[in-house]
Coordinates of all heavy atoms in Angstrom, one line a residue:
L1125 N 105.4 66.2 82.2 CA 104.0 65.9 82.3 C 103.3 66.5 83.4 O 102.1 67.0 83.3 CB 103.9 64.3 82.4 CG 102.5 63.8 82.4 CD1 101.8 64.1 81.0 CD2 102.5 62.3 82.6
L1126 N 103.9 66.7 84.5 CA 103.4 67.4 85.7 C 103.1 68.9 85.4 O 102.1 69.5 85.8 CB 104.2 67.2 86.9 CG 104.3 65.8 87.5 CD1 105.3 65.7 88.6 CD2 102.9 65.3 87.8
Y1127 N 104.0 69.5 84.6 CA 103.9 70.9 84.3 C 102.6 71.0 83.3 O 101.8 72.0 83.4 CB 105.1 71.5 83.7 CG 106.1 71.8 84.5 CD1 107.4 71.0 84.7 CD2 106.0 72.9 85.4 CE1 108.3 71.4 85.6 CE2 107.0 73.3 86.3 CZ 108.2 72.5 86.4 OH 109.2 72.8 87.2
F1128 N 102.4 70.0 82.5 CA 101.2 70.0 81.6 C 99.9 70.0 82.5 O 99.0 70.7 82.2 CB 101.3 68.8 80.6 CG 100.0 68.6 79.9 CD1 99.5 69.5 78.9 CD2 99.1 67.6 80.4 CE1 98.3 69.2 78.3 CE2 97.9 67.4 79.8 CZ 97.5 68.2 78.7
V1129 N 99.9 69.1 83.4 CA 98.8 69.0 84.3 C 98.4 70.3 85.1 O 97.3 70.8 85.1 CB 99.0 67.9 85.4 CG1 97.9 67.9 86.4 CG2 99.1 66.5 84.7
I1130 N 99.6 71.0 85.5 CA 99.3 72.2 86.2 C 98.8 73.3 85.2 O 97.8 74.1 85.4 CB 100.6 72.8 86.8 CG1 100.8 71.9 88.1 CG2 100.5 74.3 87.2 CD1 102.1 72.2 88.8
G1131 N 99.4 73.4 84.0 CA 98.9 74.3 82.9 C 97.5 74.0 82.6 O 96.7 75.0 82.5
F1132 N 97.1 72.8 82.4 CA 95.7 72.4 82.0 C 94.8 72.8 83.1 O 93.7 73.4 82.9 CB 95.6 70.9 81.8 CG 94.2 70.5 81.4 CD1 93.9 70.7 80.0 CD2 93.3 69.9 82.2 CE1 92.6 70.3 79.7 CE2 92.1 69.5 81.8 CZ 91.8 69.7 80.5
A1133 N 95.2 72.6 84.4 CA 94.3 73.0 85.6 C 94.1 74.5 85.6 O 93.0 75.0 85.9 CB 94.9 72.5 86.8
V1134 N 95.2 75.3 85.4 CA 95.0 76.7 85.4 C 94.1 77.2 84.3 O 93.3 78.1 84.5 CB 96.5 77.4 85.4 CG1 96.3 78.9 85.1 CG2 97.2 77.1 86.7
L1135 N 94.3 76.6 83.0 CA 93.4 77.0 82.0 C 92.0 76.7 82.2 O 91.1 77.4 81.9 CB 93.9 76.4 80.7 CG 95.3 77.0 80.0 CD1 95.6 76.2 78.8 CD2 95.0 78.4 79.8
A1136 N 91.8 75.5 82.8 CA 90.4 75.1 83.1 C 89.8 76.0 84.1 O 88.6 76.4 84.1 CB 90.4 73.6 83.6
L1137 N 90.6 76.3 85.2 CA 90.1 77.3 86.2 C 89.8 78.7 85.6 O 88.8 79.3 86.0 CB 91.0 77.4 87.4 CG 90.7 78.3 88.5 CD1 89.4 77.8 89.2 CD2 91.8 78.5 89.5
G1138 N 90.7 79.1 84.7 CA 90.5 80.3 84.1 C 89.2 80.4 83.2 O 88.5 81.4 83.2
F1139 N 88.9 79.2 82.6 CA 87.6 79.2 81.9 C 86.4 79.4 82.8 O 85.4 80.1 82.5 CB 87.5 77.9 81.1 CG 86.2 77.8 80.4 CD1 85.9 78.4 79.2 CD2 85.1 77.0 81.0 CE1 84.7 78.3 78.6 CE2 83.9 76.8 80.3 CZ 83.7 77.5 79.1
V1140 N 86.5 78.6 84.0 CA 85.4 78.7 84.9 C 85.3 80.1 85.5 O 84.1 80.6 85.6 CB 85.7 77.7 86.1 CG1 84.6 77.9 87.3 CG2 85.6 76.2 85.6
V1141 N 86.3 80.8 85.8 CA 86.3 82.1 86.3 C 85.7 83.1 85.3 O 84.9 83.9 85.6 CB 87.7 82.6 86.8 CG1 87.6 84.1 87.1 CG2 88.1 81.8 88.0
L1142 N 86.1 82.9 84.1 CA 85.6 83.7 83.0 C 84.1 83.5 82.7 O 83.4 84.4 82.6 CB 86.4 83.5 81.6 CG 85.9 84.4 80.5 CD1 86.3 85.9 80.7 CD2 86.7 83.9 79.3
D1143 N 83.7 82.2 82.9 CA 82.3 81.9 82.7 C 81.4 82.5 83.8 O 80.4 82.9 83.6 CB 82.1 80.3 82.7 CG 80.7 79.9 82.3 OD1 80.0 80.7 81.7 OD2 80.4 78.8 82.6
V1144 N 81.9 82.5 85.0 CA 81.3 83.1 86.1 C 81.1 84.6 86.0 O 80.1 85.2 86.3 CB 81.9 82.7 87.5 CG1 81.3 83.5 88.6 CG2 81.8 81.3 87.7
L1145 N 82.2 85.2 85.5 CA 82.2 86.7 85.4 C 81.5 87.3 84.2 O 81.2 88.5 84.1 CB 83.6 87.2 85.4 CG 84.4 86.9 86.8 CD1 85.8 87.5 86.6 CD2 83.7 87.7 87.9
T1146 N 81.2 86.5 83.2 CA 80.6 87.0 82.0 C 79.1 86.7 82.1 O 78.6 85.6 82.7 CB 81.1 86.4 80.7 OG1 81.0 85.0 80.8 CG2 82.5 86.9 80.5
P1147 N 78.2 87.5 81.5 CA 76.8 87.2 81.6 C 76.4 85.9 80.8 O 77.0 85.8 79.6 CB 76.1 88.5 81.1 CG 77.1 89.2 80.4 CD 78.4 88.8 80.9
G1148 N 75.5 85.1 81.2 CA 75.1 84.0 80.4 C 76.1 82.8 80.5 O 77.1 82.9 81.2
N1149 N 75.7 81.8 79.8 CA 76.5 80.6 79.8 C 77.6 80.7 78.7 O 77.2 80.7 77.5 CB 75.7 79.4 79.6 CG 76.5 78.0 79.7 OD1 77.7 78.0 79.6 ND2 75.7 76.9 80.0
L1150 N 78.8 80.9 79.0 CA 79.9 81.1 78.0 C 80.1 80.0 77.1 O 80.2 80.1 75.9 CB 81.2 81.4 78.7 CG 82.3 81.8 77.8 CD1 82.1 83.0 77.0 CD2 83.6 82.0 78.6
R1151 N 80.0 78.7 77.6 CA 80.1 77.5 76.8 C 79.1 77.5 75.7 O 79.3 77.2 74.6 CB 80.1 76.3 77.7 CG 80.2 75.0 76.8 CD 80.3 73.8 77.7 NE 81.4 73.8 78.6 CZ 81.5 73.5 79.8 NH1 80.4 73.0 80.5 NH2 82.6 73.6 80.5
R1152 N 77.8 77.8 76.2 CA 76.7 77.7 75.2 C 76.9 78.9 74.1 O 76.6 78.7 73.0 CB 75.3 77.9 76.0 CG 74.2 77.6 75.0 CD 72.8 77.9 75.6 NE 72.5 79.3 75.4 CZ 72.3 80.2 76.3 NH1 72.4 79.9 77.6 NH2 72.0 81.4 76.0
Q1153 N 77.3 80.1 74.6 CA 77.5 81.2 73.7 C 78.5 80.8 72.6 O 78.3 81.3 71.4 CB 77.8 82.4 74.5 CG 76.7 83.0 75.2 CD 77.1 84.3 75.9 OE1 78.0 85.0 75.5 NE2 76.4 84.7 77.0
V1154 N 79.6 80.2 73.0 CA 80.6 79.9 72.1 C 80.3 78.7 71.2 O 80.4 78.7 70.0 CB 81.9 79.7 72.8 CG1 83.0 79.1 71.9 CG2 82.5 80.9 73.5
Y1155 N 79.9 77.6 71.7 CA 79.8 76.3 71.0 C 78.4 76.1 70.4 O 78.3 75.5 69.4 CB 80.1 75.2 71.9 CG 81.6 75.2 72.3 CD1 81.9 75.5 73.6 CD2 82.7 75.0 71.4 CE1 83.3 75.6 74.0 CE2 83.9 75.1 71.7 CZ 84.3 75.4 73.0 OH 85.6 75.5 73.4
T1156 N 77.3 76.6 71.1 CA 75.9 76.4 70.5 C 75.5 77.6 69.7 O 75.0 77.4 68.5 CB 75.0 76.1 71.6 OG1 75.5 75.0 72.4 CG2 73.6 75.8 71.1
D1157 N 75.6 78.7 70.3 CA 75.1 80.0 69.6 C 76.1 80.5 68.6 O 75.7 81.4 67.8 CB 74.8 81.1 70.6 CG 73.7 80.6 71.6 OD1 72.9 79.7 71.3 OD2 73.6 81.3 72.7
R1158 N 77.4 80.1 68.6 CA 78.4 80.5 67.8 C 78.6 82.0 67.8 O 78.7 82.6 66.8 CB 78.1 80.0 66.3 CG 77.9 78.6 66.2 CD 79.1 77.9 65.6 NE 78.8 76.5 65.4 CZ 79.6 75.5 65.8 NH1 80.8 75.9 66.5 NH2 79.4 74.3 65.5
N1159 N 78.6 82.6 69.0 CA 78.7 84.0 69.2 C 80.2 84.4 69.0 O 81.1 84.0 69.8 CB 78.3 84.4 70.6 CG 78.4 85.9 70.9 OD1 79.0 86.6 70.2 ND2 77.6 86.3 71.9
P1160 N 80.6 85.1 68.0 CA 82.0 85.4 67.7 C 82.6 86.3 68.8 O 83.8 86.2 69.1 CB 82.0 86.2 66.3 CG 80.6 86.6 66.1 CD 79.7 85.7 66.9
N1161 N 81.9 87.2 69.3 CA 82.4 88.0 70.4 C 82.8 87.2 71.7 O 83.8 87.4 72.2 CB 81.5 89.1 70.8 CG 81.2 90.1 69.7 OD1 82.1 90.3 68.9 ND2 80.1 90.6 69.6
A1162 N 81.9 86.2 72.0 CA 82.3 85.3 73.1 C 83.5 84.4 72.8 O 84.3 84.2 73.6 CB 81.1 84.5 73.5
A1163 N 83.6 84.0 71.6 CA 84.7 83.2 71.2 C 86.0 84.0 71.2 O 87.1 83.5 71.7 CB 84.5 82.7 69.7
I1164 N 86.0 85.2 70.8 CA 87.2 86.1 70.9 C 87.6 86.4 72.3 O 88.7 86.3 72.7 CB 86.9 87.4 70.1 CG1 86.8 87.2 68.6 CG2 88.0 88.5 70.4 CD1 86.4 88.4 67.8
L1165 N 86.6 86.6 73.2 CA 86.9 86.8 74.6 C 87.5 85.5 75.2 O 88.5 85.6 75.9 CB 85.6 87.1 75.4 CG 85.7 87.3 76.9 CD1 86.6 88.5 77.2 CD2 84.3 87.4 77.5
L1166 N 87.0 84.3 74.8 CA 87.6 83.1 75.4 C 88.9 82.8 74.8 O 89.8 82.5 75.6 CB 86.6 81.9 75.0 CG 87.0 80.6 75.5 CD1 87.2 80.5 77.0 CD2 86.1 79.5 75.0
A1167 N 89.1 83.1 73.6 CA 90.4 82.9 73.0 C 91.5 83.8 73.6 O 92.6 83.4 73.9 CB 90.4 83.1 71.5
A1168 N 91.1 85.1 73.8 CA 92.1 86.0 74.4 C 92.4 85.6 75.9 O 93.5 85.7 76.3 CB 91.5 87.4 74.3
N1169 N 91.4 85.2 76.5 CA 91.6 84.8 77.9 C 92.6 83.6 78.0 O 93.5 83.5 78.8 CB 90.3 84.4 78.6 CG 90.4 83.9 80.0 OD1 90.9 84.7 80.8 ND2 90.0 82.8 80.3
H1170 N 92.4 82.5 77.1 CA 93.3 81.4 77.1 C 94.7 81.7 76.7 O 95.6 81.3 77.2 CB 92.7 80.3 76.2 CG 91.6 79.4 76.8 ND1 91.7 79.0 78.2 CD2 90.5 78.9 76.4 CE1 90.7 78.3 78.4 NE2 89.9 78.2 77.4
L1171 N 94.8 82.6 75.7 CA 96.1 83.1 75.2 C 96.9 83.7 76.4 O 98.0 83.5 76.6 CB 96.0 84.0 74.0 CG 97.3 84.5 73.5 CD1 98.1 83.3 73.0 CD2 97.0 85.4 72.4
A1172 N 96.2 84.7 77.0 CA 96.8 85.4 78.2 C 97.2 84.5 79.3 O 98.3 84.6 79.8 CB 95.9 86.5 78.7
L1173 N 96.3 83.5 79.6 CA 96.6 82.6 80.7 C 97.8 81.6 80.3 O 98.6 81.2 81.1 CB 95.4 81.7 81.1 CG 94.4 82.4 82.0 CD1 93.2 81.5 82.2 CD2 95.1 82.8 83.3
A1174 N 97.9 81.2 79.0 CA 98.9 80.4 78.5 C 100.2 81.1 78.6 O 101.3 80.5 79.0 CB 98.6 80.0 77.1
L1175 N 100.3 82.4 78.3 CA 101.5 83.2 78.5 C 101.9 83.2 79.9 O 103.1 83.2 80.3 CB 101.3 84.6 77.9 CG 101.2 84.6 76.4 CD1 100.9 86.1 76.0 CD2 102.5 84.3 75.8
I1176 N 100.9 83.4 80.8 CA 101.2 83.4 82.3 C 101.8 82.1 82.7 O 102.8 82.0 83.4 CB 100.0 83.8 83.1 CG1 99.6 85.2 82.8 CG2 100.2 83.5 84.5 CD1 98.2 85.6 83.3
V1177 N 101.2 81.0 82.3 CA 101.7 79.7 82.7 C 103.1 79.5 82.1 O 104.0 78.9 82.9 CB 100.7 78.6 82.2 CG1 101.3 77.2 82.4 CG2 99.4 78.7 83.0
V1178 N 103.3 79.7 80.9 CA 104.7 79.5 80.3 C 105.7 80.3 81.0 O 106.8 79.8 81.3 CB 104.6 79.9 78.8 CG1 106.0 79.9 78.2 CG2 103.8 78.7 78.1
T1179 N 105.4 81.6 81.3 CA 106.4 82.4 82.0 C 106.6 81.9 83.4 O 107.7 81.8 83.9 CB 105.8 83.9 82.1 OG1 105.6 84.3 80.8 CG2 106.8 84.7 82.8
A1180 N 105.5 81.4 84.1 CA 105.7 80.8 85.4 C 106.6 79.6 85.4 O 107.4 79.4 86.3 CB 104.3 80.5 86.0
I1181 N 106.4 78.8 84.4 CA 107.3 77.6 84.3 C 108.7 77.9 84.0 O 109.6 77.4 84.5 CB 106.7 76.6 83.2 CG1 105.3 76.1 83.6 CG2 107.6 75.5 82.8 CD1 104.5 75.3 82.6
L1182 N 108.9 78.8 83.0 CA 110.2 79.2 82.6 C 111.1 79.9 83.7 O 112.2 79.7 83.9 CB 110.2 80.1 81.4 CG 109.9 79.4 80.1 CD1 109.7 80.5 79.0 CD2 110.9 78.3 79.7
T1183 N 110.3 80.6 84.6 CA 111.0 81.3 85.7 C 110.9 80.6 87.0 O 111.4 81.1 88.0 CB 110.4 82.7 85.9 OG1 109.1 82.6 86.2 CG2 110.6 83.5 84.6
S1184 N 110.4 79.4 87.1 CA 110.2 78.6 88.3 C 111.6 78.0 88.8 O 112.6 78.0 88.0 CB 109.2 77.5 88.2 OG 109.7 76.5 87.3
D1185 N 111.6 77.6 90.0 CA 112.8 77.0 90.6 C 113.2 75.8 89.8 O 112.4 75.1 89.2 CB 112.4 76.6 92.0 CG 113.7 76.4 92.9 OD1 114.3 77.4 93.3 OD2 114.0 75.3 93.1
D1186 N 114.5 75.5 89.9 CA 115.0 74.3 89.2 C 114.7 73.0 89.7 O 114.7 72.0 89.0 CB 116.5 74.4 89.1 CG 117.0 75.5 88.1 OD1 116.2 75.9 87.2 OD2 118.2 76.0 88.3
S1187 N 114.4 72.9 91.0 CA 114.0 71.7 91.6 C 112.5 71.4 91.2 O 111.7 72.3 91.1 CB 114.1 71.7 93.1 OG 113.2 72.6 93.7
L1188 N 112.2 70.2 91.0 CA 110.9 69.8 90.4 C 109.7 70.2 91.4 O 108.8 70.9 90.9 CB 110.8 68.3 90.1 CG 109.5 67.8 89.5 CD1 109.2 68.5 88.2 CD2 109.5 66.3 89.4
G1189 N 109.8 69.8 92.6 CA 108.8 70.1 93.5 C 108.5 71.6 93.6 O 107.4 72.1 93.6
Q1190 N 109.5 72.3 94.0 CA 109.4 73.8 94.1 C 109.0 74.5 92.8 O 108.2 75.4 92.8 CB 110.7 74.4 94.6 CG 110.5 75.9 95.0 CD 109.6 76.1 96.1 OE1 109.5 75.4 97.1 NE2 108.7 77.1 95.9
G1191 N 109.5 74.0 91.7 CA 109.1 74.5 90.4 C 107.6 74.3 90.1 O 106.9 75.1 89.6
L1192 N 107.1 73.1 90.5 CA 105.6 72.9 90.3 C 104.8 73.8 91.2 O 103.8 74.4 90.8 CB 105.3 71.4 90.6 CG 105.9 70.4 89.6 CD1 105.7 69.0 90.1 CD2 105.2 70.6 88.2
V1193 N 105.3 74.0 92.4 CA 104.5 74.9 93.4 C 104.6 76.3 92.8 O 103.5 77.0 92.8 CB 105.1 74.8 94.8 CG1 104.5 75.9 95.7 CG2 104.9 73.4 95.4
D1194 N 105.7 76.7 92.4 CA 105.8 78.1 91.8 C 104.9 78.3 90.6 O 104.2 79.3 90.6 CB 107.3 78.4 91.4 CG 108.3 78.5 92.5 OD1 107.8 78.6 93.7 OD2 109.5 78.5 92.3
S1195 N 104.9 77.3 89.8 CA 104.1 77.5 88.5 C 102.5 77.5 88.9 O 101.8 78.2 88.3 CB 104.4 76.3 87.6 OG 105.7 76.3 87.2
L1196 N 102.2 76.7 89.9 CA 100.8 76.6 90.2 C 100.4 77.9 91.0 O 99.3 78.5 90.6 CB 100.5 75.5 91.2 CG 99.1 75.3 91.7 CD1 98.2 75.0 90.5 CD2 99.1 74.2 92.7
V1197 N 101.2 78.4 91.9 CA 100.9 79.7 92.6 C 100.8 80.8 91.6 O 99.8 81.7 91.7 CB 101.9 79.9 93.7 CG1 101.8 81.3 94.2 CG2 101.8 78.8 94.8
Y1198 N 101.8 81.0 90.7 CA 101.7 82.1 89.8 C 100.7 82.0 88.8 O 100.0 82.9 88.3 CB 103.1 82.3 89.1 CG 104.2 82.9 90.0 CD1 105.3 82.1 90.3 CD2 104.0 84.1 90.8 CE1 106.2 82.7 91.2 CE2 104.9 84.6 91.6 CZ 106.0 83.9 91.8 OH 107.0 84.4 92.7
G1199 N 100.3 80.8 88.4 CA 99.2 80.5 87.5 C 97.9 80.9 88.2 O 97.0 81.6 87.5
L1200 N 97.7 80.5 89.4 CA 96.5 80.9 90.1 C 96.4 82.4 90.4 O 95.3 83.0 90.3 CB 96.4 80.2 91.5 CG 96.2 78.6 91.3 CD1 96.2 78.0 92.7 CD2 95.0 78.2 90.6
L1201 N 97.5 83.0 90.7 CA 97.6 84.4 90.8 C 97.2 85.1 89.5 O 96.5 86.1 89.5 CB 99.0 84.9 91.3 CG 99.1 86.4 91.5 CD1 98.2 86.9 92.6 CD2 100.6 86.7 91.8
G1202 N 97.6 84.6 88.4 CA 97.3 85.1 87.1 C 95.8 85.1 86.9 O 95.1 86.0 86.3
V1203 N 95.1 83.9 87.2 CA 93.7 83.8 87.1 C 92.9 84.8 87.9 O 92.0 85.5 87.5 CB 93.2 82.3 87.4 CG1 91.7 82.3 87.6 CG2 93.8 81.3 86.4
V1204 N 93.4 85.0 89.2 CA 92.8 86.0 90.0 C 92.9 87.4 89.5 O 91.9 88.1 89.5 CB 93.3 85.9 91.5 CG1 93.0 87.1 92.3 CG2 93.0 84.5 92.1
L1205 N 94.2 87.7 89.0 CA 94.3 89.0 88.6 C 93.5 89.3 87.2 O 93.1 90.4 87.0 CB 95.8 89.3 88.3 CG 96.6 89.5 89.6 CD1 98.2 89.6 89.3 CD2 96.2 90.6 90.4
Q1206 N 93.4 88.3 86.4 CA 92.6 88.5 85.2 C 91.2 88.7 85.6 O 90.5 89.5 84.9 CB 92.7 87.3 84.4 CG 93.8 87.3 83.3 CD 93.6 86.3 82.2 OE1 93.0 85.3 82.4 NE2 94.1 86.6 81.0
G1207 N 90.6 87.9 86.6 CA 89.3 88.2 87.0 C 89.1 89.6 87.6 O 88.1 90.3 87.3
V1208 N 90.0 90.1 88.4 CA 89.9 91.5 88.9 C 89.9 92.5 87.8 O 89.2 93.5 87.7 CB 91.1 91.7 89.9 CG1 91.2 93.2 90.3 CG2 90.9 90.8 91.2
A1209 N 90.9 92.3 86.8 CA 91.0 93.2 85.7 C 89.7 93.2 84.8 O 89.3 94.3 84.4 CB 92.2 92.8 84.8
L1210 N 89.1 92.1 84.7 CA 87.8 92.0 83.9 C 86.7 92.7 84.6 O 86.0 93.5 84.1 CB 87.4 90.6 83.7 CG 86.2 90.3 82.8 CD1 86.4 90.8 81.4 CD2 85.8 88.9 82.8
R1211 N 86.6 92.6 86.0 CA 85.7 93.3 86.7 C 85.9 94.8 86.7 O 85.0 95.6 86.6 CB 85.6 92.8 88.2 CG 84.9 91.5 88.3 CD 83.7 91.4 87.5 NE 82.6 91.2 88.4 CZ 81.4 91.1 87.9 NH1 81.1 91.2 86.6 NH2 80.4 90.9 88.7
L1212 N 87.2 95.2 86.8 CA 87.5 96.7 86.8 C 87.1 97.2 85.4 O 86.6 98.4 85.3 CB 88.9 96.9 87.1 CG 89.3 96.7 88.6 CD1 90.8 96.9 88.7 CD2 88.6 97.8 89.4
L1213 N 87.5 96.5 84.4 CA 87.2 97.0 83.0 C 85.7 97.1 82.8 O 85.2 98.1 82.2 CB 87.8 96.1 82.0 CG 87.6 96.4 80.5 CD1 88.3 97.7 80.2 CD2 88.1 95.3 79.6
D1214 N 85.0 96.1 83.3 CA 83.5 96.2 83.2 C 83.0 97.3 83.9 O 82.0 98.0 83.5 CB 82.9 94.9 83.8 CG 81.5 94.8 83.5 OD1 80.9 95.2 82.4 OD2 80.7 94.3 84.4
A1215 N 83.5 97.7 85.1 CA 83.0 98.9 85.9 C 83.3 100.1 85.2 O 82.4 101.0 85.2 CB 83.6 98.9 87.3
F1216 N 84.4 100.3 84.5 CA 84.8 101.5 83.9 C 84.0 101.7 82.5 O 83.8 102.8 82.1 CB 86.3 101.6 83.6 CG 87.1 101.8 84.9 CD1 88.1 101.0 85.2 CD2 86.8 103.0 85.7 CE1 88.8 101.2 86.4 CE2 87.5 103.2 86.8 CZ 88.5 102.4 87.2
V1217 N 83.8 100.6 81.8 CA 83.1 100.7 80.5 C 81.6 100.7 80.8 O 80.8 101.4 80.3 CB 83.4 99.5 79.7 CG1 82.6 99.4 78.4 CG2 84.9 99.5 79.4

């Protein structure tokens, strides 16, 4: 259950970071305006972060406390690196 909480927190933070880095309100673009491009961006972001969280959990330490810390740190690192990659891609394109 604690790993679920960490995974949910990382996905929520990933949404906030993506919303800040994309122009306009991402939630409105996806749910109100039904923008398919924004929905694809959001889905790809969540899928990538989910893979990061799952990998972090599977490779974390066997003790519960250290495993939770490992998963949280690597999940947050994944969010940061995704944000950097999005900015770099935006600069090059």
